[in-house]
Amino acid sequence: MTPRLPRRRAACLLATALPSLAACNGPQSTFNSAGAEAGSVLTLFWVMLAGAALIWLIVVGISVYVTKVRPGAHSDRTGVHLIVWGGCVFPVVVLGVLLYVGLTMMPGLRGAADGAKIAVSGERFWWRVNYGVEGTPGVAKSLPGGGVESANELYLPVGKRTEILLGSPDVIHSFWVPAIAGKTDAIPGRVNRLVLAPTRLGVFNGVCAEFCGDAHAQMGFRVVVVSEADYAARIAAEAEPAAVIDHPGRALFMGNGCNACHAVRGTEAAGRVGPDLTHLGSRKTLGAGLLPVTAENISRFIRETDHTKPGVEMPAFHTLSEADAAAIAAWLGALT
Ligand code: CUA
């Protein structure tokens, strides 16, 4: 084998690895840490990686020593020492230290919240968000009143510890914003608590991390971290009814029964089965993190729901004419 081949292989490996490394820095990456808990987890990861690299070097060193440097037979005493120290004592010490480091991190991460309380319910296949609730989201369709309802987007104030109350009406989901904190399950019949403590501003991606059905992989959301003042302004804006404009799409929305499942506060639409659409036009995504909110995408989502997001609960309105769907989409898109 010429010495060129391994060099070429190394270059190929590097070329493959570099884009993967670049992908580590996106809005959905644990390496792009933007939260107290994610930061601790990342530190633990680097400690474990450094430890694993060191142990790997030691093991490879011993292998090279016994095969290349001193390939002959070794005494029984050396063998026993290797097993006792390398096989028993060393792993116990390493795992003990790791356990200690992990346990000492936990009290800080599980500390009390000092910010708002937000109920988040995992639905099939989207996220119901309710700001400012005092109760629990045990059964999503009976979320306590008083909060401000939204969907698939979560605003958080930077530097505050916000408590998320997680529930689900039917199947288990897992709420995960990799850049901010570890994942926590949303389980029917109980309320799990998670504290999110974002450390810097930005928009981060969240996902459902537990297989929950056909559209599991399309059950995303956005977390928007803003200043405390912007957070208060945002919640005040969310609490307002829709800026309803006079548009033929409104009558079509009601006439085709969309209001049976969706609420648009400020109109007669008060359905609670699907996402609240009061401020759909101001959201970053449509279909739970799936598409940008544009009139074209809304129209397509209404008529081809089964193609755009297979497995979703909403029926596809194939029977709706393109013009009618476009009118509804234009109205919904204008709800900021
Ligand atoms: Cu919800 Cu997976």
Side-chain angles (χ1 to χ4, degrees), residues 108-174:
L109 297 178
R110 293 286 165 255
D114 62 1
K117 224 176 235 187
I118 305 172
V120 176
S121 175
E123 309 279 328
R124 286 182 297 164
F125 297 91
W126 56 281
W127 301 91
R128 189 189 296 274
V129 175
N130 202 279
Y131 292 100
V133 293
E134 287 304 319
T136 63
V139 177
K141 282 170 194 162
S142 59
L143 272 164
V148 178
E149 185 143 333
S150 184
N152 303 324
E153 203 165 85
L154 194 62
Y155 275 77
L156 293 176
V158 72
K160 296 294 265 186
R161 296 173 60 81
T162 303
E163 186 168 15
I164 309 295
L165 307 173
L166 284 166
S168 165
D170 37 38
V171 299
I172 300 176
H173 307 268
S174 185

